[in-house]
Amino acid sequence: MNLPNKLTLFRIFLISVFVLLMEWPTSDGSRLLAYLACLVFVIASATDYLDGYLARRDNLVTNFGKFWDPLADKMLVLTALIELAAAQVVPGFAVAIIVIRDLAVTGLRLLLVQDGEVMAAAWPGKVKTFTQMLAIIFLLVDDGPLSVLPFSLGQVFFYLAVIFTIYSWIDYFWKNRHVFSDFS
């Protein structure tokens, strides 16, 4: 197994560490576990960039990586958003929109693969992922040193992520509407 695939598996492992830190009971109201969870999330997010970079640079792209890398990304981000919704930091309906979009786009990718097509990530999807990750980081630490702002930066990035989630959903389906020509 090559290094990029090992990094993908490491990211999947870090999801369980993240969940344990988020769910660990604290009686003193300490934010230490949330900061540790944020650190784990940042490390896991960095492996997302690193594994893709290494795979392309060293020509180590594999079917394993093509399948598991995007799945690991979705598992990481969706787990974090579900944890934040459970903690009532973000509204559940918005997280549901993100989950439904990701499932729908994954289904679309499967339909395209059946026709021998591969749907590459487009800029709206990349912006969606980037804003989701920024939102999660800021929300986990209650905006950290930027909490002095008159608004929550985490909430701003979260709602931008929801907007780009919807936009990228429409974009992917519109550009690949030919897949549904059988249904008319």
Side-chain angles (χ1 to χ4, degrees):
M1 181 168 288
N2 65 36
L3 181 58
N5 290 344
K6 288 177 182 176
L7 287 170
T8 297
L9 289 175
F10 180 61
R11 182 163 65 256
I12 292 168
F13 167 75
L14 286 179
I15 295 168
S16 60
V17 175
F18 174 82
V19 170
L20 285 172
L21 290 168
M22 291 295 291
E23 295 291 333
W24 197 270
T26 59
S27 58
D28 64 355
S30 170
R31 299 280 308 147
L32 177 62
L33 291 177
Y35 277 85
L36 288 173
C38 184
L39 178 63
V40 168
F41 183 84
V42 168
I43 292 167
S45 297
T47 67
D48 174 32
Y49 168 78
L50 187 58
D51 67 12
Y53 170 76
L54 292 173
R56 285 185 295 279
R57 185 194 75 183
D58 299 336
N59 198 25
L60 297 172
V61 176
T62 64
N63 286 335
F64 177 91
K66 287 180 196 175
F67 178 79
W68 282 103
D69 179 61
L71 189 58
D73 299 343
K74 289 182 187 339
M75 290 169 22
L76 174 65
V77 169
L78 295 178
T79 298
L81 290 173
I82 290 166
E83 286 287 345
L84 289 167
Q88 297 181 343
V89 174
V90 295
F93 81 88
V95 173
I97 289 170
I98 293 169
V99 170
I100 292 166
R101 177 264 183 211
D102 280 358
L103 290 171
V105 170
T106 298
L108 177 61
R109 286 183 196 278
L110 291 173
L111 288 174
L112 287 166
V113 165
Q114 286 180 343
D115 290 340
E117 298 178 55
V118 175
M119 183 173 72
W123 74 265
K126 291 179 185 232
V127 172
K128 171 205 66 95
T129 301
F130 182 72
T131 54
Q132 284 175 344
M133 289 182 171
L134 279 178
I136 291 165
I137 291 166
F138 282 109
L139 291 168
L140 285 170
V141 297
D142 288 331
D143 289 341
L146 298 175
S147 63
V148 297
L149 294 174
F151 55 88
S152 166
L153 204 52
Q155 292 291 331
V156 169
F157 280 120
F158 177 73
Y159 285 106
L160 279 173
V162 172
I163 290 166
F164 275 100
T165 293
I166 295 166
Y167 179 79
S168 67
W169 189 352
I170 293 166
D171 182 62
Y172 282 130
F173 274 77
W174 180 254
K175 287 179 179 172
N176 294 287
R177 64 190 178 277
H178 66 277
V179 170
F180 302 104
S181 63
D182 297 0
F183 301 115
S184 53

